[in-house]
Amino acid sequence: MRLVRDVLDKKILDRDDGETGCVDGIVIEFPQGRQPRVVRIEIGGEILAARVARWLVKPAQWLARSWGPKRHGNVAIEWRHISKMGRVLHIDLAADETEALAWERWLSKHIIGRIPGSR
């Protein structure tokens, strides 16, 4: 498997085939004297910002703390929850069991929900 090609930036579908986001980061553990292993994938603006330019991390952290769902940290999905890989990654969790949709829920409630006729 080519980890970056096969995992990074792939769309994530939950167990009901609902969109859960895209893989922004991969966390690998390097235990001493043993083979490296993938621990989890992560979803989050800070991770994506760091991939684009390191200086974008602080503004992304400020934005996350100051506006939106006030979620602390990134969404982590343990590698053991990945059930199938291909053009998309399938996880054996429901999207609601994670914080992956926190921004979508916040936007729906605070922005979209206030547009006349949106309900």
Side-chain angles (χ1 to χ4, degrees), residues 10 12 17 38 47 57 59 62 82 88-89 95 97 106 108:
K10 295 287 184 183
I12 303 168
D17 288 332
V38 179
I47 296 168
V57 173
W62 176 84
I82 296 177
V88 297
L89 292 182
E97 294 174 22
W106 187 89
S108 177

Side-chain angles (χ1 to χ4, degrees), residues 2-66:
R2 296 196 173 155
L3 197 56
V4 172
R5 181 197 69 192
D6 294 341
V7 177
L8 203 58
D9 295 326
K10 295 287 184 183
K11 186 183 296 185
I12 303 168
L13 298 180
D14 70 359
R15 68 175 166 229
D16 302 317
D17 288 332
E19 290 188 30
T20 308
C22 291
V23 179
D24 295 318
I26 303 168
V27 177
I28 302 172
E29 186 177 79
F30 293 90
Q32 190 157 356
R34 296 195 346 235
Q35 291 289 324
R37 70 181 194 98
V38 179
V39 179
R40 65 183 173 270
I41 57 174
E42 292 186 329
I43 304 167
E46 294 172 33
I47 296 168
L48 189 56
R51 287 178 50 203
V52 174
R54 210 67 181 134
W55 64 269
L56 286 174
V57 173
K58 292 285 186 201
Q61 289 171 335
W62 176 84
L63 185 62
R65 282 191 314 269
S66 305

Side-chain angles (χ1 to χ4, degrees), residues 92-109:
D92 62 4
L93 302 169
D96 291 335
E97 294 174 22
T98 71
E99 284 293 312
L101 301 179
W103 271 101
E104 285 83 352
R105 284 192 219 85
W106 187 89
L107 286 169
S108 177
K109 180 180 178 183

